[in-house]
Amino acid sequence: MWTHGPWRGRLLPHPLGAGERLRAYATWCDAVEGNTTFYAVPERGTVESWAAQTDPGFRFLAKLPKTVTHERRLTGVEVEVRGFLDAIAPLGERARTLWIQLPGSFGPGDVGTLASFLRRMPREHGYAVEVRHKGFFEDPRGEAALTRTLEAAGAEWVPFDTVTLFQTPPTSDSERDAWSKKPRMPRRSRALSAEPIVRYLGRDSVEETVEGWGFWVETVVAWVHEGRSPTVFLHTPDNADSLTLARRFHDEVRARVPALEPLPEPMPNEPLTLF
């Protein structure tokens, strides 16, 4: 998202070269969803540039390619996984947790396949699994089977909270688009690991988005007090204000947990010059 058009010249300096855009984003937030790796494995040189633009403590949640999760459904993918891991290797600890987003058709009957896949994956990475089949949310047996599998692998279950989005009918084109594409899942908030991950999708309205995240502020505060290190990814349908909202969420948590480190100071909103 660090190249998101509506941020250019308003929140991030513009124009910026390709080797500076992530650097500018990283002054606003210290984590990013690596969604682009779902569609294509990046060139190693590109990933080396990402590493060069971020501090060692920056966190990438890199998504496994769709050939692995959606087309092959975690079966017979050793070559593809090896190529992906080699490509993202320059990120080092920045990408210590990998994101396994499974298709909506991947249900409780497929948990054995997931368990086998996780057992074969290298231990130097952690794994965060996002599921969208309703059997994992509405059938206690499906939920229990997935939980056991993830706990056995030391993996996390990533909730994608769309409750606020679907609370009232859409009022904009971007909200209507999100209604047609995003999953309507029950909210889930049980952490399975020391580094839980949340994906929250609000509304284009700042007020509705902020009102809807109150549950997560309370949950994240509790996790931090338990000694966990959560990562929260905050979206709206148009994502126009996601950067400022992410910092506002962090400020709300930090008001309750003063020991929490502040986020970096955003880069000034002017293009870089020599003078």
Side-chain angles (χ1 to χ4, degrees), residues 34-46:
N35 195 49
T36 56
T37 57
F38 177 74
Y39 299 99
V41 176
E43 296 292 332
R44 191 179 176 95
T46 299

Side-chain angles (χ1 to χ4, degrees), residues 45-68:
T46 299
V47 180
E48 289 172 346
S49 171
W50 297 349
Q53 293 178 65
T54 53
D55 293 333
F58 190 87
R59 298 171 78 169
F60 284 83
L61 187 63
K63 188 186 289 189
L64 264 66
K66 63 180 180 180
T67 53
V68 173

Side-chain angles (χ1 to χ4, degrees), residues 31-243:
V32 71
E33 289 183 348
N35 195 49
T36 56
T37 57
F38 177 74
Y39 299 99
V41 176
E43 296 292 332
R44 191 179 176 95
T46 299
V47 180
E48 289 172 346
S49 171
W50 297 349
Q53 293 178 65
T54 53
D55 293 333
F58 190 87
R59 298 171 78 169
F60 284 83
L61 187 63
K63 188 186 289 189
L64 264 66
K66 63 180 180 180
T67 53
V68 173
T69 56
H70 286 56
E71 296 172 13
R72 302 281 188 83
R73 297 171 67 89
L74 310 182
T75 301
V77 291
E78 288 76 11
V79 172
E80 289 79 5
V81 168
R82 196 177 305 118
F84 171 73
L85 294 177
D86 182 64
I88 67 167
L91 294 175
E93 278 292 298
R94 296 172 183 82
R96 63 181 176 271
T97 300
L98 302 180
W99 177 13
I100 304 171
Q101 181 182 295
L102 296 170
S105 60
F106 195 101
D110 300 301
V111 167
T113 301
L114 174 62
S116 176
F117 177 78
L118 290 173
R119 283 195 297 268
R120 297 194 305 273
M121 293 296 284
R123 293 298 94 193
E124 58 262 32
H125 287 285
Y127 300 93
V129 178
E130 181 184 333
V131 293
R132 297 187 172 187
H133 192 288
K134 291 191 175 182
F136 292 121
F137 301 89
E138 299 174 353
D139 182 353
R141 293 171 299 180
E143 178 183 7
L146 179 58
T147 299
R148 286 194 302 269
T149 294
L150 297 177
E151 288 181 326
E156 188 54 79
W157 183 335
V158 182
F160 185 20
D161 181 4
T162 59
V163 171
T164 296
L165 172 68
F166 290 109
Q167 202 157 30
T168 56
T171 58
S172 67
D173 288 343
S174 56
E175 289 185 352
R176 281 185 281 274
D177 184 61
W179 263 53
S180 70
K181 295 177 179 176
K182 302 302 181 183
R184 192 181 298 222
M185 295 284 101
R187 180 182 285 147
R188 184 191 178 283
S189 61
R190 178 185 169 190
L192 301 182
S193 72
E195 297 186 350
I197 295 166
V198 175
R199 304 183 68 221
Y200 169 75
L201 176 58
R203 302 290 294 249
D204 286 340
S205 162
V206 169
E207 292 75 19
E208 290 179 74
T209 299
V210 171
E211 182 181 357
W213 77 34
F215 171 87
W216 288 113
V217 170
E218 297 291 334
T219 300
V220 168
V221 167
W223 283 343
V224 173
H225 283 151
E226 292 168 2
R228 304 181 195 269
S229 179
T231 300
V232 179
F233 294 110
L234 205 150
H235 298 275
T236 65
D238 64 10
N239 278 315
D241 295 306
S242 290
L243 288 180

